Every structure is written in structure tokens, then in C-alpha cells.
Amino acid sequence: MDFENEKFRKIFFEIYEHLPRGGPGDAESTGKAFALIKNLSGHPEILDVGCGPGRQTLDLARISPGKIVAVDNHLPFLERLKAAAQRAGLQERVRVEEADMFHLPFEKEAFDLIWSEGAIYNLGFENGLRILGAFLKPGGYLAVSEAVWLKKHPPKELKANWDEEYPAITDIPENLTMIGKCGYVLLGNFTLPKSSWMDDFYTPMEARIVEVKKRYQHDQEVMDMMPYFQTEIEIYKKYSDYFSYEFFVMQKG
Ligand SMILES: C[S@@+](CC[C@H](N)C(=O)[O-])C[C@H]1O[C@@H](n2cnc3c(N)ncnc32)[C@H](O)[C@@H]1O
């Protein structure tokens, strides 16, 4: 589907703006990744890149003592996060900023920790490691989740789908090589559980698709877009042993 198509973009956000998360993830995995970080400064400056609706931003604010700047280029997500931070009494420690991750408006070496769940793919994994690394203090930490192959030789249908959506997806060893090449020391990595794809992402997306289909039942152009969203979910259900998101936690060397 073409994200340049205005109507597609509108429908995409009519679905995504109503989901708890913008991608696979869960509070437990955010906590598990955070626990891999030792010796973080007492008052860390944290950047959350591609924060989306910001579930992980709030989870991070609850488990770390730091101040978090959460950036995304989609304003409605930021407004939602800002309101949620206020409701949770975290507004003093969570600030949102509309920004393009390709042109982050921060000083170099400004952050103790950079977090990015399911969003570094926008930059490309290796390119993203380099771009984000420039904003880390020496010895700072980077925690990202990234789509990976879990098995070799994916079935044709699955491979074709990823070739369409994110042809740069690769396996965990290849990602670890890039991490080393970019000068990071790996602190740990783990695969997100299947529940983190379904509970707060694909299950609510399925429900949202039903609502959107009802609303646009007389708009054939929109109805023709729906298989795009449904196929993504079906592909996951059918082939979830072949791919997932991997959390990588590392320290700038
Ligand atoms: C898959 S979602 C993940 C959102 C969130 N981290 C989560 O796990 O729920 C990717 C996010 O990256 C944001 N994004 C995409 N391109 C971006 C860019 N160039 N600059 C900033 N944010 C971007 C999207 O708006 C979206 O919120």
C-alpha cells in the first residue's frame, strides 16, 4: 500500500490511532530490557525515538528515575501520550516533541539512554545505530527492538510479504554483527513473546478493522484497503515461528 496516498494514510491512522501500541511490545519486555542496563546515572536523560502512543514511554518513566523526551513525527500520538502522562502524574518527567528521527533537534552526546521500540527500522538498523549513537553520551545505553528472522528459509508467501514491507529484515547474528561494527557492546538480547504481538497490537487491530469496515462499508476504495491490514495479521498468525521482534540492549563503546 502506498503511504503517499492521502486516503490510505487517513485510514491507516484511523486504525492505528485507536490501538494501545503502535507495534509489538509489552510492559514486561520493556522492564526486562531496562534491567539489562547497569550503572545508569541517578538522573538519566532519556530519549524515546518513534514513541507512537507511548505505552513504553510511560512504562519506562515508571521503572527509571529519569526524564524522558519522547519524539514522533505523528502529532496525534504525542497528544495522546501527553494526556496519558498527565493522567499518570508523570508530566514532570515525560515531555513530548514532534520531530523527524532523521533530523533530531538535540545536541550531540546529550542522552544517557536512548530507547526505540519498533521504530529504528525507519532509519534502517545499521544506519539507525549510527544516527542514534551520535546523541548518546560516551558509555551511554541504547535499547531497540527490531524485526528479525527466527528461522532460515522462510516460506515463499512470507518472504514475499517482508520483501514488500521491510526487505532489510535479517537474522539475529547479522544484527549482532552490525551492533559490533557500530562500536557498541551488547548487554543482552531477547525475542518478544507472541503475546506481545497479539494482546495490545493485533487483537485490538482486528477489532478496529471491524469498526472501520462498518463505517466505510459504502466506500469501495476504503474496503479495498482492508486486506492490507488483515493480511499482516494473518501472516503473523500463520508464520509467527519464523519471525519476531528482538530486543537488543547495548552500550556505546
Ligand atoms: C511501529 S511504530 C512504534 C511506536 C511505539 N514505539 C510502540 O512500540 O508502540 C513506529 C513509530 O515511528 C514513528 N515514525 C515513523 N517515521 C518517523 C520519523 N521519520 N520520525 C519520527 N517518528 C517516526 C511512527 O509515527 C510510529 O509512531
Side-chain angles (χ1 to χ4, degrees):
M1 272 291 165
D2 181 10
F3 216 63
E4 300 302 306
N5 175 332
E6 203 176 309
K7 192 154 180 184
F8 175 74
R9 248 192 352 258
K10 174 178 171 336
I11 297 302
F12 179 91
F13 285 120
E14 270 196 44
I15 293 176
Y16 271 74
E17 280 175 16
H18 293 261
L19 306 181
R21 315 185 70 102
D26 62 87
E28 209 173 294
S29 298
T30 299
K32 191 170 162 183
F34 186 75
L36 290 167
I37 296 167
K38 312 287 178 211
N39 303 322
L40 193 60
S41 91
H43 302 283
E45 297 290 333
I46 303 173
L47 174 66
D48 184 357
V49 179
C51 62
R55 269 284 175 95
Q56 76 292 327
T57 320
L58 298 180
D59 289 335
L60 207 50
R62 290 188 187 99
I63 55 179
S64 81
K67 284 199 168 160
I68 307 178
V69 187
V71 303
D72 203 279
N73 65 355
H74 188 61
L75 191 57
F77 286 150
L78 297 175
E79 285 164 350
R80 214 174 114 189
L81 170 56
K82 192 173 173 190
Q86 241 148 17
R87 281 197 304 276
L90 292 166
Q91 68 277 13
E92 301 300 323
R93 293 201 295 114
V94 173
R95 180 168 73 77
V96 301
E97 191 160 333
E98 189 180 4
D100 179 358
M101 62 174 83
F102 283 90
H103 306 284
L104 290 167
F106 305 110
E107 297 282 320
K108 296 285 157 72
E109 301 195 348
F111 295 96
D112 298 285
L113 168 61
I114 298 181
W115 205 266
S116 186
E117 293 198 25
I120 192 171
Y121 74 90
N122 291 296
L123 298 168
F125 192 70
E126 186 171 339
N127 188 38
L129 293 178
R130 290 189 205 283
I131 289 180
L132 298 182
F135 294 94
L136 278 178
K137 293 178 187 171
Y141 300 93
L142 177 63
V144 299
S145 63
E146 165 76 341
V148 293
W149 290 124
L150 298 176
K151 284 189 186 187
K152 287 189 194 309
H153 314 302
K156 247 186 176 169
E157 180 190 31
L158 175 61
K159 173 83 169 52
N161 188 266
W162 277 96
D163 279 348
E164 192 68 31
E165 296 303 319
Y166 186 45
I169 182 175
T170 186
D171 58 14
I172 297 167
E174 193 61 38
N175 282 297
L176 295 179
T177 300
M178 289 188 251
I179 286 171
K181 225 168 99 185
C182 293
Y184 292 94
V185 175
L186 181 79
L187 301 179
N189 60 292
F190 61 91
T191 306
L192 289 188
K194 292 183 183 180
S195 56
S196 75
W197 288 77
M198 295 309 301
D199 294 356
D200 281 339
F201 190 46
Y202 282 153
T203 301
M205 191 188 290
E206 280 177 320
R208 187 66 192 152
I209 289 170
V210 171
E211 285 171 38
V212 170
K213 277 170 101 169
K214 216 181 279 169
R215 181 177 310 164
Y216 289 95
Q217 56 187 304
H218 303 300
D219 185 332
Q220 194 53 44
E221 197 185 349
V222 172
M223 294 304 279
D224 288 345
M225 292 172 185
M226 290 299 110
Y228 171 83
F229 299 97
Q230 287 161 324
T231 301
E232 183 183 322
I233 301 171
E234 279 156 24
I235 287 273
Y236 181 71
K237 286 183 178 171
K238 202 164 162 190
Y239 297 115
S240 59
D241 288 341
Y242 283 87
F243 67 97
S244 188
Y245 265 81
E246 187 78 2
F247 232 123
F248 297 98
V249 182
M250 63 207 93
Q251 185 168 22
K252 185 172 167 174

